[in-house]
Structure formats: C-alpha cells, structure tokens
C-alpha cells in the first residue's frame, strides 16, 4: 500500500475508534443522568464539562451533536429493562485502558452533581466499578 494512503487510513481509524469510545463514555454518563428518571441540569452540565475537559470535543464529534441520540438510546434501555445490555455494549466499545479507569469517577461525578445519589444510581455505580474499576 502507498505509505501516504496507509498514513491517511491510519488516522481515520484512530479518529473513528476514538469517536466510538467517546460515544460509549457519553452513553454511560447519560445513563447516570437518566437513571433516576429525572434529567437534572447540574448533571447535564457535568457531562458537558467532562466531555470538554476530556478532549472529546473535536471538529468531528461533540456532546451537543450526540446528546439526542444518547438520551434516546439510554431512555429506551432504562424503560425496557435493558440497562445490563447497554452496559455490555458500552463495555465492548471502550478499549482504551486509561479511559476505562476514569469511567467510575466520571459516572460518580455526574450522579452526584445534583447533590443526591439515589438507589438506582448507586446500583449502576456499583456495576460500573465492577466492570471498569
């Protein structure tokens, strides 16, 4: 393969994988937002901050663009009893070990942004700690 094409495709794969992982992280954080069946603006702002601080915001990806899709996916999982399947999907999409290790802290920050962590959020945090901690 032409070295220039190989370099071009290598960068595409890296960005595609990164965006896929960022989407998975945001799915998890939106799960924490929706878990108590109340969307709190402080929790939403925390997700935006995490996305910005983590470098997820790029010319090809942003939380604002992905938010609607994430909320719809997570609400369907919560309403249909598919939280475990959603966590399995998130788990499968995140290969970066540093990112995986940061998930519990980020999820905890979102859950606690409204100064109230309910039993459902605690249960999901426990699952996140077991999977990613």
């Amino acid at each position: 393969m032409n070295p220039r094409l190989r370099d071009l495709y290598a960068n595409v794969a890296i960005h595609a994988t990164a965006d896929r992982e960022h989407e998975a992280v945001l799915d998890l954080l939106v799960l924490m937002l929706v878990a108590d069946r109340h969307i709190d603006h402080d929790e939403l702002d925390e997700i935006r901050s995490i996305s910005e601080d983590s470098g997820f915001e790029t010319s090809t990806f942003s939380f604002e663009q992905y938010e609607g899709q994430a909320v719809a996916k997570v609400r369907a999982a919560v309403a249909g009893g598919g939280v475990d399947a959603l966590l399995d999907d998130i788990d499968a999409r995140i290969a970066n070990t540093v990112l995986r290790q940061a998930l519990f802290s980020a999820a905890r920050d979102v859950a606690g942004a409204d100064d109230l962590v309910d039993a459902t959020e605690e249960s999901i945090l426990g699952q996140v700690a077991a999977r990613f901690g």
Side-chain angles (χ1 to χ4, degrees):
M1 177 184 271
N2 179 321
R4 187 168 180 221
L5 282 176
R6 184 180 57 237
D7 292 343
L8 179 66
Y9 282 114
N11 288 333
V12 169
I14 290 167
H15 292 303
T17 301
D19 285 352
R20 179 178 154 98
E21 287 184 324
H22 297 165
E23 287 175 358
V25 170
L26 293 173
D27 286 346
L28 177 64
L29 299 181
V30 169
L31 175 59
M32 298 312 303
L33 170 75
V34 174
D36 62 2
R37 300 188 188 250
H38 172 73
I39 293 180
D40 183 90
H41 291 289
D42 291 334
E43 291 176 337
L44 195 55
D45 288 343
E46 185 66 25
I47 294 172
R48 284 188 183 100
S49 292
I50 291 168
S51 182
E52 290 170 8
D53 294 346
S54 299
F56 294 178
E57 303 293 316
T58 66
S59 60
T60 60
F61 183 82
S62 75
F63 175 62
E64 298 301 324
Q65 293 171 329
Y66 186 66
E67 178 182 2
Q69 183 180 346
V71 170
K73 179 190 303 185
V74 170
R75 278 187 170 166
V78 169
V83 171
D84 288 337
L86 177 62
L87 288 170
D88 289 343
D89 177 59
I90 291 166
D91 192 358
R93 288 185 286 155
I94 302 175
N96 181 307
T97 55
V98 173
L99 191 57
R100 291 177 69 83
Q101 292 172 352
L103 289 177
F104 176 76
S105 178
R108 185 186 59 220
D109 289 349
V110 171
D114 63 355
D115 297 323
L116 175 66
V117 178
D118 77 356
T120 304
E121 291 170 322
E122 285 180 10
S123 173
I124 293 170
L125 284 171
Q127 292 177 56
V128 170
R131 287 175 185 261
F132 305 105

